[in-house]
């Protein structure tokens, strides 16, 4: 894995000629001209959820992404090999002018391309319910030795293409039949987190990392 802080953080901002900095947006005049700033006081829901709750948890939601102490990678490339010999290549750029993802599956019967663009309620200053709301979506199937075709995607209400209500119902309601076996257990969640941990170790050491060497699971996978 490779990763670095290439856009955010004070040093990167200074290299681009930025000279005015602030620690948090609330109460800062500099933040008013910063497109990356979150103005909690301008959004009733964000204000009640974060600004008014600071005395309870001390969490400052509107800190500057170009302030001191920013260290997490905003640019990353990872290659993952699984036990079943599948290989995943992962690329992250956390500062692009659009929010979404592209996923491609290559297999013995062809290729599937998924292209999703989502809205960001914070940057748009909109309702919290619009977080992850779809802007456009597309699935194209490329059969081996066949003509590619686009697959119709069922439109559902709710964030992340209708996935949020399904997830909340699965956790807190009466789970519906999951014929595609989409629901992940705590084990899948743990493996996902460990993949990220392994990537961070690889970035730091420059060496490949085996997830099996990080944690010993009692349940065989």
């Amino acid at each position: 894995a490779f990763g670095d802080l290439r856009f955010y953080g004070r040093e990167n901002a200074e290299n681009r000629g930025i000279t005015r900095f602030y620690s948090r947006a609330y109460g800062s005049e500099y933040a008013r001209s910063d497109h990356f700033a979150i103005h909690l006081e301008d959004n009733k829901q964000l204000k009640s959820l974060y600004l008014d709750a600071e005395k309870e948890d001390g969490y400052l939601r509107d800190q500057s992404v170009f302030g001191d102490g920013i260290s997490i990678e905003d640019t990353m490339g990872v290659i993952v090999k699984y036990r079943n010999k599948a290989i995943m290549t992962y690329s992250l750029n956390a500062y692009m002018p659009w929010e979404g993802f592209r996923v491609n599956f290559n297999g013995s019967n062809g290729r599937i391309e998924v292209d999703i663009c989502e809205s960001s309620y914070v940057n748009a200053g909109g309702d919290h319910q619009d977080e992850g709301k779809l802007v456009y979506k597309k699935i194209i199937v490329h059969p081996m030795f066949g003509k590619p075709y686009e697959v119709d995607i069922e439109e559902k209400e709710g964030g992340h293409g209708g996935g949020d209500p399904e997830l909340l119902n699965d956790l807190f309601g009466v789970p519906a039949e999951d014929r595609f076996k989409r629901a992940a257990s705590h084990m899948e969640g743990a493996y996902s987190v460990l993949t990220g941990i392994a990537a961070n170790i690889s970035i730091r050491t420059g060496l490949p990392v085996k997830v099996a060497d990080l944690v010993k699971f009692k349940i065989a996978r």
Side-chain angles (χ1 to χ4, degrees):
F2 295 92
D4 203 352
L5 183 66
R6 302 297 302 275
F7 184 82
Y8 296 118
R10 187 182 184 104
E11 182 178 353
N12 289 320
E14 289 177 336
N15 290 338
R16 292 193 298 273
I18 296 176
T19 58
R20 301 194 300 179
F21 295 92
Y22 60 92
S23 60
R24 64 173 305 184
Y26 184 63
S28 171
E29 288 299 321
Y30 290 161
R32 282 294 165 185
S33 59
D34 182 8
H35 293 295
F36 291 88
I38 300 174
H39 302 288
L40 303 176
E41 68 275 19
D42 294 343
N43 185 294
K44 182 178 180 180
Q45 190 161 15
L46 295 180
K47 180 178 182 295
S48 61
L49 185 61
Y50 297 111
L51 189 61
D52 296 344
E54 288 178 0
K55 61 181 180 297
E56 305 293 340
D57 57 17
Y59 175 52
L60 305 181
R61 178 65 177 83
D62 61 345
Q63 296 181 79
S64 172
V65 293
F66 301 109
D68 296 318
I70 302 298
S71 60
I72 190 171
E73 301 90 354
D74 56 28
T75 306
M76 180 183 291
V78 182
I79 298 179
V80 181
K81 184 177 181 180
Y82 295 89
R83 289 181 181 176
N84 63 0
K85 298 183 180 181
I87 295 177
M88 176 182 73
T89 58
Y90 172 84
S91 175
L92 168 69
N93 294 279
Y95 46 88
M96 293 294 97
W98 69 285
E99 187 167 338
F101 57 90
R102 292 189 174 106
V103 181
N104 300 319
F105 299 92
N106 299 309
S108 56
N109 290 324
R111 174 182 173 93
I112 299 175
E113 299 176 351
V114 182
D115 191 0
I116 303 293
C117 181
E118 301 170 342
S119 63
S120 172
Y121 80 93
V122 172
N123 289 340
D127 195 309
H128 177 77
Q129 299 298 322
D130 288 336
E131 179 183 9
K133 190 173 183 179
L134 283 173
V135 176
Y136 66 79
K137 58 190 183 302
K138 182 182 295 185
I139 296 178
I140 298 179
V141 177
H142 297 263
M144 192 72 75
F145 309 116
K147 292 183 178 180
Y149 59 90
E150 187 170 343
V151 178
D152 292 331
I153 304 175
E154 182 181 356
E155 188 76 37
K156 286 193 173 184
E157 296 294 329
H160 297 99
D164 285 358
E166 296 281 350
L167 175 61
L168 291 173
N169 180 70
D170 187 69
L171 290 174
F172 305 112
V174 179
E177 180 186 2
D178 185 21
R179 63 191 182 98
F180 295 116
K181 301 186 183 301
R182 298 171 299 177
S185 71
H186 64 287
M187 291 299 296
E188 280 78 22
Y191 275 107
S192 178
V193 171
L194 284 168
T195 301
I197 292 174
N200 283 329
I201 295 174
S202 179
I203 290 171
R204 187 174 69 249
T205 63
L207 299 172
V209 177
K210 291 185 177 181
V211 170
D213 294 337
L214 301 178
V215 177
K216 301 300 181 182
F217 288 98
K218 293 183 179 180
I219 301 177
R221 299 294 294 175

